[in-house]
Amino acid sequence: RVGIACEPATMDFITVLVVLLLLAVGAYFFLTSGSGQKRGDTVLIIGPSGSGKTLAYLQLRNERETPTHMSMEPNEDTFPLQPSKAQGKPLKPVHVVDWPGAPQLHARLMERLPSAGAIVCMVDSANALEHVKACAGLLYELFTSDALRRARTPLLVACNKSDSVKALKPPQIRAMLEKEVDRIQHARSTMQDLSDKAGSATVSQDGGPFSFDSVRGG
């Protein structure tokens, strides 16, 4: 399952992201029921460097804004998600991992996918033109992952900073991501044909132009 949603960069950011995470985790429990496929219990927050992953993670964990810095190591912890004080007692603790956006760490990220119960891929709406290529490449790797296909792990693309005057609308970002993933799909398929290697480089169910609605196993 793939969903696309937007998040503002205001004080309500943490509340909105918690709701998105809860929806993702809720989808995990719903889809796991009766599916016969074992899924992990971790929420993975991924995306290009500078998309706001660590800020979101720290706000979720600390319930306040915390200064961040670039890192080559993931942040992870288990803590209860609490959307708002009005909700009363905290919800059941969830293991959340903030994964660095450095391309050289993608191989390690793929190794963590079997532990994922839900994935949130963040994109900076105000810098979407810079982030789309990196994000699409990461999404392609996820969509061609056997682990995610077998487990049908829910994936949410979260458009961060959507209230910025420079932000692109979620439908625009979706169209850009679909076009770029389709370009990667076509290039990989061509390379595979030339090398005559086994396996599938196609992520669309019908083999046609890529769209989030046509992801294999979705």
Side-chain angles (χ1 to χ4, degrees), residues 22 42 52 70 76 79 85 92 115 117-118 122 135 196 199 204 208:
L22 289 175
T42 295
M70 299 289 288
E76 57 184 300
F79 48 85
K85 298 184 183 303
K92 182 179 179 180
S115 70
M122 297 185 65
C135 186
D196 196 29
S204 300

Side-chain angles (χ1 to χ4, degrees), residues 121-198:
C121 182
M122 297 185 65
V123 183
D124 185 343
S125 300
N127 291 290
L129 293 177
E130 299 178 15
H131 283 190
V132 161
K133 187 173 183 179
C135 186
L138 180 55
L139 289 174
Y140 177 84
E141 297 298 330
L142 295 179
F143 294 149
T144 53
S145 164
D146 289 337
L148 261 65
R149 286 184 176 182
R150 287 194 299 266
R152 297 172 63 86
T153 306
L155 168 66
L156 178 71
V157 178
C159 302
N160 187 22
K161 301 181 184 177
S162 62
D163 61 343
S164 169
V165 295
K166 299 187 297 181
L168 296 182
K169 302 293 185 182
Q172 293 175 293
I173 296 175
R174 174 177 180 144
M176 292 167 63
L177 285 172
E178 288 179 331
K179 182 177 181 179
E180 182 62 20
V181 171
D182 187 61
R183 185 195 66 78
I184 297 172
Q185 172 179 249
H186 180 72
R188 296 287 182 88
S189 295
T190 300
M191 291 174 61
Q192 190 174 71
D193 290 341
L194 292 174
S195 64
D196 196 29
K197 290 183 178 180

Side-chain angles (χ1 to χ4, degrees), residues 3-180:
I4 297 183
C6 60
E7 304 163 359
T10 64
M11 291 300 292
D12 289 333
F13 171 83
I14 182 62
T15 300
V16 174
L17 184 58
V18 168
V19 171
L20 296 179
L21 283 171
L22 289 175
L23 286 173
V25 176
Y28 151 57
F29 286 118
F30 175 77
L31 291 173
T32 299
S33 178
S35 69
Q37 296 289 335
K38 182 175 177 59
R39 235 186 244 135
D41 57 359
T42 295
V43 174
L44 280 176
I45 304 177
I46 64 173
S49 297
S51 58
K53 303 181 301 297
T54 302
L55 177 61
Y57 168 83
L58 292 175
Q59 285 183 311
L60 282 173
R61 191 188 67 180
N62 303 334
E63 298 187 51
R64 66 177 185 275
E65 292 189 14
T66 306
T68 65
H69 61 276
M70 299 289 288
S71 174
M72 293 293 288
E73 291 297 325
N75 297 303
E76 57 184 300
D77 200 355
T78 301
F79 48 85
L81 298 178
Q82 188 168 354
S84 69
K85 298 184 183 303
Q87 294 290 332
K89 64 180 181 179
L91 300 172
K92 182 179 179 180
V94 175
H95 190 69
V96 181
V97 177
D98 156 39
W99 194 268
Q104 56 266 45
L105 298 180
H106 285 184
R108 285 176 55 193
L109 172 60
M110 296 299 114
E111 296 173 358
R112 295 291 296 266
L113 293 184
S115 70
I119 299 174
V120 178
C121 182
M122 297 185 65
V123 183
D124 185 343
S125 300
N127 291 290
L129 293 177
E130 299 178 15
H131 283 190
V132 161
K133 187 173 183 179
C135 186
L138 180 55
L139 289 174
Y140 177 84
E141 297 298 330
L142 295 179
F143 294 149
T144 53
S145 164
D146 289 337
L148 261 65
R149 286 184 176 182
R150 287 194 299 266
R152 297 172 63 86
T153 306
L155 168 66
L156 178 71
V157 178
C159 302
N160 187 22
K161 301 181 184 177
S162 62
D163 61 343
S164 169
V165 295
K166 299 187 297 181
L168 296 182
K169 302 293 185 182
Q172 293 175 293
I173 296 175
R174 174 177 180 144
M176 292 167 63
L177 285 172
E178 288 179 331
K179 182 177 181 179
E180 182 62 20

